[in-house]
Amino acid sequence: MNEPASIERLPIRTHNDIVTARHAAREHSARLGFGRAYQTRLATAVSELTRNVIQYAGEGSCLIEDQVDAQGCSIQVTVEDHGPGIPDLALALADGFSTSGGLGAGLPGTRRLVDHFQISSEPGLTRIVISIHKAL
């Protein structure tokens, strides 16, 4: 039997919103019974993606959705902004590439933290969808 999905939409406009989104992702995963390692992985991924929104686009949104069904449960997070876009996705997803002088572990590291990672980007809309899953 499917339980209704829990949905939370958060604006990402300030550094405090990064903390709020990270906390919300952790709460969703804890409520669904994900272990601490999964909670930390999801919270870290959300923190990285929302930080990128502030740094590169100025503002955006974070949508957290969870679902439970007969097979298990999942949490899907969609982070999007309406900034300049990522000109070269392949390069942005390569380990060590950075436009900000950092370590270049952001997007590639985020991709390794989650079960599903999908990104699309063009000027005016970057959307990243990540999810974690747990079988029952």
Side-chain angles (χ1 to χ4, degrees), residues 3-8 28 31-32 64-68 76:
E3 290 184 22
S6 171
I7 300 172
E8 187 170 2
H28 277 257
R31 186 172 52 246
L32 290 181
I64 303 171
E65 304 173 81
D66 55 50
Q67 182 69 48
V68 177
Q76 177 175 291

Side-chain angles (χ1 to χ4, degrees), residues 13-65:
R13 295 187 190 108
T14 70
H15 283 82
N16 288 339
D17 295 333
I18 297 168
V19 175
T20 300
R22 178 184 176 92
H23 182 71
R26 187 180 291 276
E27 281 186 348
H28 277 257
S29 56
R31 186 172 52 246
L32 290 181
F34 283 89
R36 287 191 183 264
Y38 263 95
Q39 292 174 36
T40 299
R41 287 170 49 193
L42 183 63
T44 301
V46 168
S47 182
E48 177 62 34
L49 295 178
T50 54
R51 182 175 289 108
N52 284 352
V53 167
I54 298 295
Q55 183 171 357
Y56 296 107
E59 65 179 281
S61 65
C62 177
L63 177 68
I64 303 171
E65 304 173 81

